[in-house]
Amino acid sequence: MTRFTVNKQPIEYKMDPQTPLLWALRDASNLTGTKYGCGTGECGACTVDIDGEAVRACQVTIGGTEGRFVTTIEGLAENRSHPVQQALIAANVPQCGYCIPGIVMAASVLLRTNKTPSETDIKDAIPNICRCGIYPRLIDAIQKAGRIASGTEPSLGSDDEEAQRARPTT
């Protein structure tokens, strides 16, 4: 049995310790926001936060995660309220959305230590692959998220007009 914390909840997996974290999260914990993309750690769709580090969940086993703290997109913030989520939504960055959870997780880790990242800082910290080509808007949105996180720009709360326009309607 492997024990660690996922989204602030202690978890015990009765799975082979060599099981990739990605599959434990998706199949055993039903945390499907962590996406399977390539299985080789190249695309970044499966990025999660492990003890403050952006990690490809397809490349780490649950045995290697024993005793650690894992945060997935589901545990990042309620109601898409994290500054990265707010800024990406406001800038209409998500298109198909498949890569977005991994990008959000990598960006949240970056902004925890660097609230004013340069374009180079962002590209280095977030080498995730997006087939929709969101990169120009993504750089601006992550810099905006840093300003929101540092308090130099107001949060895009639920009453913010720009955020309301950016939300898809059903």
Side-chain angles (χ1 to χ4, degrees):
M1 288 183 269
T2 306
R3 295 183 181 111
F4 51 94
T5 302
V6 177
N7 298 335
K8 300 179 183 171
Q9 300 295 316
I11 301 285
E12 182 176 317
Y13 289 107
K14 297 177 182 176
M15 304 170 82
D16 182 333
Q18 294 306 307
T19 302
L21 175 61
L22 169 66
W23 298 117
L25 293 172
R26 289 184 61 80
D27 295 344
S29 295
N30 198 32
L31 295 170
T32 58
T34 306
K35 305 296 186 204
Y36 172 77
C38 65
T40 62
E42 297 295 321
C43 74
C46 66
T47 303
V48 295
D49 178 333
I50 300 179
D51 293 336
E53 181 182 344
V55 176
R56 307 296 205 238
C58 71
Q59 296 298 293
V60 64
T61 64
I62 60 172
T65 312
E66 180 85 32
R68 298 180 78 187
F69 292 86
V70 176
T71 303
T72 68
I73 191 73
E74 292 91 346
L76 186 62
E78 290 184 26
N79 304 318
R80 296 183 222 148
S81 61
H82 189 278
V84 174
Q85 293 168 308
Q86 291 179 15
L88 267 65
I89 291 168
N92 286 319
V93 171
Q95 288 186 31
C96 82
Y98 200 83
C99 66
I100 296 299
I103 288 172
V104 168
M105 295 309 297
S108 70
V109 168
L110 169 65
L111 292 179
R112 194 172 302 123
T113 58
N114 181 357
K115 300 244 189 302
T116 57
S118 67
E119 182 173 340
T120 301
D121 293 335
I122 293 167
K123 287 179 178 178
D124 289 346
I126 307 168
N128 300 44
I129 296 172
C130 172
R131 300 193 191 291
C132 300
I134 62 169
Y135 303 110
R137 290 188 319 277
L138 179 64
I139 301 293
D140 292 340
I142 291 172
Q143 290 173 329
K144 180 182 189 86
R147 292 188 301 272
I148 293 169
S150 67
T152 60
E153 189 164 317
S155 176
L156 300 172
S158 60
D159 294 331
D160 183 273
E161 222 174 282
E162 183 180 10
Q164 289 295 326
R165 282 194 311 270
R167 289 200 180 97
T169 57
T170 54

